Amino acid sequence: MADSIIHNWREPNSAVQLGNFPTRKVAFPDTWESFVGRFRSGQQPLPQAWADLFGPLCTGTVDDLVVVGQVGQSLDGRVATATGHSKYINCPAGIEHLHRLRALVDIVVVGVGTALADNPQLTVRQVAGPQPARAVIDPRGRLGANAKLFADDGVRRLFITTDGSRATPPPGVEVITLPAEDGNIAPSAIVASLAAAGMRRILIEGGADTVSRFIAARCLDRLHVNVAPVILGAGGPGIELPPLERADQAHRMPVRVHKIEDDVLFDCDLSDQRVAIGVAKKST
């Protein structure tokens, strides 16, 4: 029985590769600063200390785009307690990993629920690297003009809403208006509009409902799930998708596993199911 289980887990579409997260003390030229510079300029080879984890985000395999989602959750799949508290489920190194992702992408995207609950800055503060553009998906125009992600700090800020929204974001914020169905904007339309705005590498940072909708719409190339060794028992779920009748109907994907201090990061390759969306107008 044990041999059978191992064989099933290691079938061709389910390869698992183990790796250790680099420490902060790595030798030149494997420093993070060197990696960011070479990654963003397209230079090869990439510094090996970071290439295993972040190299797959360099170039898309479906089209010109690379869309990555990230979820930080507890061991029992919760992103917050029953009261909504979520700071901080993941360890400091896990938060640092999120900031490294931000430094590598053109734009960071969050849903309005996360923007209202956490009021995130969506900036690179924990690590070296350029600041990404920021976008919020807000179909009904609920987010106030004083939200931190709207701060005028020299980077592009985008407000993704619907035709009927009466929202008035601050001056300088670019507004993308898209059609909605049942109050939700299709993830493929969001990605296509960001590509038209020049965004090639896109990070869907949260919340869990937004990331889940992008997974269900087959709009992610990769998914980073950072699991903390805590059990919350109840609270908001991490990934929630339409139900299946049978377990063998579930999509099984190649996964790389990395240890990030106390947390375990699952780098999931979803490219074999990602729908083709388009080409970025330009690279930011």
Side-chain angles (χ1 to χ4, degrees), residues 261-273:
E261 293 187 358
D262 293 337
D263 296 349
V264 176
L265 176 73
F266 292 81
D267 172 19
C268 309
D269 184 354
L270 304 180
S271 59
D272 67 346
Q273 67 165 8

Side-chain angles (χ1 to χ4, degrees), residues 211-232:
V211 174
S212 296
R213 289 196 299 108
F214 274 75
I215 296 172
R218 299 165 59 196
C219 286
L220 293 185
D221 293 278
R222 303 193 82 85
L223 173 67
H224 284 197
V225 182
N226 199 17
V227 180
V230 306
I231 297 176
L232 298 182

Side-chain angles (χ1 to χ4, degrees), residues 6-53:
I6 293 173
H7 174 73
N8 289 339
W9 178 246
R10 295 191 178 278
E11 61 188 12
N13 289 332
S14 307
V16 176
Q17 300 185 26
L18 300 176
N20 290 321
F21 194 70
T23 65
R24 293 177 178 85
K25 298 178 180 179
V26 292
F28 185 84
D30 282 346
T31 62
W32 173 251
E33 291 84 352
S34 175
F35 178 82
V36 172
R38 294 182 71 86
F39 179 96
R40 296 192 69 91
S41 63
Q43 297 181 58
Q44 295 289 339
L46 294 171
Q48 191 57 44
W50 305 98
D52 287 346
L53 179 53

